[in-house]
C-alpha cells in the first residue's frame, strides 16, 4: 500500500499516547499529504463530515514474526487473547485504525490541503494509508457488545500539576497534557508508587509519580533544540 500522508502531533515517541482515539478530545494533529496526493480535489466534500477514519501504519512496531495471541495492557499484561480480538500493534499487518474529529481543512499554497484533527492517538510523523468519512448511520452501533473490554473500564487519575510547572507549556497545550496524564500513561503491569515516570509531550519531558489515584507532576524539563509550537 502507498503512504498518502503523515500526521504531525505533540508525541515524538509512543509512550504516553492515549490507548484509543477520542479519549483526550483536546489532543490535536495536522495531516499533511504526500505531493502525489495533495490535490484539493481529493478532499472535496470532506469538510461536510465532522469525523473521519484514519488507517495508518504502526511504524514503531518491531517484529519479525506474528503471534496468534497477545497480552492487552488493560488486562494487566498477563492474560492472553487472540490477536484478532485485540487492537495490539503486534499484528500480521501493521495497520492501525482511528476515528478522529475533523476540525477544519486548511488550503496551504505549498502543502495543499492540511487536515486539522482532534482526539488523536498517533505518534508524530505516523504514516497514513487512507482517510475515509465517518458515517453515523452505518459506523455507529449503540447495541454493540464490549467483549472483555467491559472488564477494563477506563479509570481517570486526579492530576496535580503545580502552576509554576504548567506554565512551561503554551496555554493551548495545557488541557490536552492534563487529559493525557489523567488517562494514566503508565504500563498497566508496572505500577510502582515510588517510581518516577516520564512522557515527552510538545517539546518537554514531564516527570510524575502516581500514588493511589493521584498523579503529581514533579518536574518539566524542556528538551534541547525543541521550541514551542
Amino acid at each position: 500500500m502507498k503512504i498518502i500522508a503523515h500526521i504531525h502531533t505533540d508525541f515524538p515517541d509512543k509512550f504516553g499516547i492515549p490507548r484509543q482515539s477520542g479519549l483526550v478530545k483536546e489532543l490535536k494533529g495536522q495531516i499533511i499529504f504526500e505531493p502525489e496526493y495533495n490535490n484539493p480535489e481529493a478532499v472535496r466534500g470532506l469538510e461536510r463530515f465532522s469525523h473521519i477514519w484514519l488507517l495508518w501504519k504502526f511504524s514503531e512496531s518491531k517484529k519479525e514474526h506474528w503471534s496468534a495471541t497477545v497480552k492487552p495492557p488493560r488486562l494487566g499484561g498477563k492474560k492472553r487473547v487472540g490477536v484478532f480480538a485485540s487492537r495490539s500493534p503486534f499484528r500480521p499487518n501493521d495497520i492501525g485504525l482511528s476515528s478522529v474529529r475533523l476540525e477544519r481543512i486548511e488550503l496551504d499554497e505549498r502543502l495543499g490541503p492540511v487536515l486539522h484533527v482532534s482526539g488523536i492517538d498517533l505518534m508524530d510523523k505516523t504514516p497514513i494509508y487512507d482517510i475515509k468519512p465517518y458515517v453515523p448511520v452505518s459506523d455507529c452501533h449503540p447495541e454493540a457488545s464490549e467483549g472483555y473490554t467491559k472488564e477494563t473500564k477506563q479509570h481517570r487519575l486526579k492530576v496535580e500539576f503545580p502552576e509554576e510547572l504548567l506554565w512551561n507549556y503554551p496555554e493551548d497545550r495545557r488541557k490536552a497534557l492534563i487529559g493525557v496524564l489523567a488517562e494514566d500513561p503508565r504500563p498497566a503491569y508496572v505500577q510502582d508508587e515510588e517510581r518516577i515516570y516520564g512522557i515527552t509531550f510538545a517539546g518537554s519531558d514531564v516527570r510524575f509519580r502516581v500514588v493511589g489515584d493521584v498523579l503529581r507532576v514533579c518536574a518539566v524539563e524542556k528538551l534541547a533544540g525543541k521550541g514551542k509550537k
Side-chain angles (χ1 to χ4, degrees), residues 149-220:
T149 60
K150 189 175 182 179
E151 309 166 24
T152 62
K153 291 292 187 185
Q154 295 291 324
H155 67 284
R156 291 179 66 84
L157 300 175
K158 178 184 177 182
V159 177
E160 295 183 352
F161 207 135
E163 284 192 0
E164 65 271 17
L165 297 179
L166 187 58
W167 288 343
N168 283 279
Y169 276 95
E171 189 172 353
D172 64 347
R173 296 295 202 278
R174 294 172 190 170
K175 198 175 223 182
L177 175 56
I178 291 172
V180 168
L181 296 172
E183 286 293 328
D184 194 354
R186 299 173 299 165
Y189 46 88
V190 182
Q191 298 192 354
D192 182 354
E193 292 190 351
E194 298 300 318
R195 179 173 173 178
I196 294 179
Y197 297 85
I199 65 170
T200 304
F201 180 81
S204 294
D205 276 336
V206 181
R207 303 290 175 180
F208 61 90
R209 177 181 281 123
V210 180
V211 178
D213 290 329
V214 178
L215 180 151
R216 180 170 179 79
V217 176
C218 48
V220 174

Side-chain angles (χ1 to χ4, degrees), residues 62-135:
K62 310 298 183 185
K63 69 178 191 317
E64 295 181 0
H65 306 285
W66 74 281
S67 173
T69 60
V70 295
K71 299 177 181 179
R74 280 303 181 189
L75 289 179
K78 297 176 182 178
K79 184 177 179 181
R80 286 190 172 273
V81 301
V83 64
F84 300 129
S86 80
R87 297 191 176 186
S88 167
F90 303 105
R91 322 183 65 79
N93 293 304
D94 301 325
I95 299 174
L97 177 69
S98 297
S99 175
V100 299
R101 172 175 282 278
L102 178 60
E103 300 286 351
R104 63 189 175 92
I105 301 177
E106 172 191 1
L107 289 178
D108 184 274
E109 290 185 5
R110 181 174 62 88
L111 301 173
V114 177
L115 308 188
H116 293 259
V117 295
S118 61
I120 58 97
D121 61 340
L122 292 89
M123 193 174 73
D124 188 40
K125 300 178 182 176
T126 294
I128 306 292
Y129 284 132
D130 202 6
I131 297 168
K132 300 178 188 293
Y134 177 94
V135 182

Side-chain angles (χ1 to χ4, degrees), residues 6-20:
H6 289 82
I7 190 168
H8 296 270
T9 75
D10 285 319
F11 291 102
D13 45 54
K14 60 186 180 181
F15 186 76
I17 296 177
R19 293 172 176 87
Q20 303 293 341

